[in-house]
Amino acid sequence: MATRRISSGSPFEKAAGYSRAVVKGDWCFVSGTTGYDYATMIMPETVEEQARNCLKTIGGALEEAGFSLSDVVRNHYYVTDASFSDRVFPIFGEVFGDIRPAATMVVCDLIRPEMLIEIEVTAFRG
């Protein structure tokens, strides 16, 4: 079974030696994705805008891999402030409300001060 690697074009992928997503059989593992617009490397100021950018990047990687957001079975959310949960939950509900993957949210520091949220997903095509 071949392994397929997907890139979003983020300079972090090359520098840190990782892929945006890795496909193995019916599984797609999407790396932690922050809110940058990777075409411009601009980071929005609000956690809501960052969350939407994360989901756009993740959706694009899944699509390139032959999956969709409806195939997502597991989400990990990392936020830098617990109060952000109330601000991003409605956004996640719009995207995942009918899919309802297993999910965890962790409050932690991220590697750059402008990063307010990071999202990692796993998808299964069954």
Side-chain angles (χ1 to χ4, degrees), residues 18-20 30-34 38 58 76 78 118-121:
Y18 71 97
S19 296
R20 176 63 46 208
V30 182
S31 294
T33 303
T34 60
Y38 288 111
I58 289 167
H76 291 119
Y78 306 94
E118 184 168 339
I119 302 172
E120 171 187 1
V121 307

Side-chain angles (χ1 to χ4, degrees), residues 93-107:
E94 289 171 16
V95 176
F96 296 111
D98 292 333
I99 304 162
R100 299 188 53 188
T104 300
M105 181 173 278
V106 176
V107 179

Side-chain angles (χ1 to χ4, degrees), residues 28-117:
C28 184
F29 304 92
V30 182
S31 294
T33 303
T34 60
Y36 285 103
D37 174 336
Y38 288 111
T40 63
M41 287 309 292
I42 293 173
M43 176 67 82
E45 291 186 21
T46 70
V47 70
E48 294 91 343
E49 291 174 292
Q50 288 189 27
R52 290 185 200 289
N53 275 2
C54 292
L55 294 168
K56 179 181 174 188
T57 300
I58 289 167
L62 288 169
E63 185 176 313
E64 185 175 338
F67 291 76
S68 72
L69 287 167
S70 65
D71 295 316
V72 172
V73 295
R74 179 75 171 146
N75 295 348
H76 291 119
Y77 303 110
Y78 306 94
V79 293
T80 58
D81 189 310
S83 70
F84 291 161
S85 62
D86 290 334
R87 294 167 56 186
V88 297
F89 281 173
I91 296 166
F92 300 154
E94 289 171 16
V95 176
F96 296 111
D98 292 333
I99 304 162
R100 299 188 53 188
T104 300
M105 181 173 278
V106 176
V107 179
C108 61
D109 288 333
L110 295 174
I111 64 170
R112 301 244 191 292
E114 66 270 19
M115 295 174 175
L116 304 177
I117 187 167

